[in-house]
Each structure stands twice: as structure tokens, then as C-alpha cells.
């Protein structure tokens, strides 16, 4: 696809998935393929979903990370 189907912006090599003008995908199938290949590692810091991180933020005790 050489132009955005939404706004008509010409596609350049530096913008891989999203149109820089309107922010929509150049090609929805290509975007699904690229985004589907990404692996989310999870949240870090205060937003972590780890039970040990939750306990640490509640107690402030670094011993929750100690290995048995």
C-alpha cells in the first residue's frame, strides 16, 4: 500500500505501521501481524501484578524477595 486509505498521506519507509498524519494503520492485516508478534513482559514497579511486589508495596519489607 503506497498511501493511507484514510487520509491519503504517501507512505514512507520510516513509518512502518501507523500513518503519521491520522494515526491509523497503513494496512490492518500487516498491523495485526506485527502487533501479534509482540510479547508483553508485564508491568514493572508500582504497576507490577506480581504477588511479591504487592506484598512489598504493602509492607515495605525487602525480605519478600528472599529465596527460601
Amino acid at each position: 500500500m503506497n498511501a493511507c486509505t484514510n487520509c491519503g498521506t504517501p507512505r514512507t519507509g520510516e513509518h512502518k505501521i501507523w500513518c503519521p498524519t491520522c494515526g491509523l494503520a497503513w494496512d490492518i492485516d500487516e498491523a495485526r501481524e506485527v502487533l501479534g508478534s509482540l510479547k508483553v513482559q508485564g508491568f514493572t514497579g508500582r504497576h507490577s501484578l506480581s504477588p511479591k511486589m504487592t506484598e512489598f508495596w504493602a509492607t515495605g519489607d525487602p525480605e519478600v524477595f528472599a529465596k527460601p
Side-chain angles (χ1 to χ4, degrees):
M1 180 172 292
N2 295 327
C4 178
T5 56
N6 185 52
C7 67
T9 302
R11 187 173 186 175
T12 61
E14 68 183 66
H15 300 287
K16 302 292 183 186
I17 300 175
W18 313 111
C19 172
T21 305
C22 67
L24 296 178
W26 295 107
D27 179 5
I28 191 68
D29 294 328
E30 180 183 358
R32 281 186 182 130
E33 181 181 333
V34 170
L35 295 174
S37 68
L38 298 177
K39 182 178 179 184
V40 176
Q41 296 294 324
F43 299 107
T44 59
R46 278 204 168 285
H47 305 290
S48 175
L49 301 176
S50 165
K52 287 188 177 190
M53 282 300 292
T54 304
E55 185 180 348
F56 171 74
W57 287 116
T59 63
D61 183 13
E63 290 295 318
V64 298
F65 301 112
K67 296 187 179 181

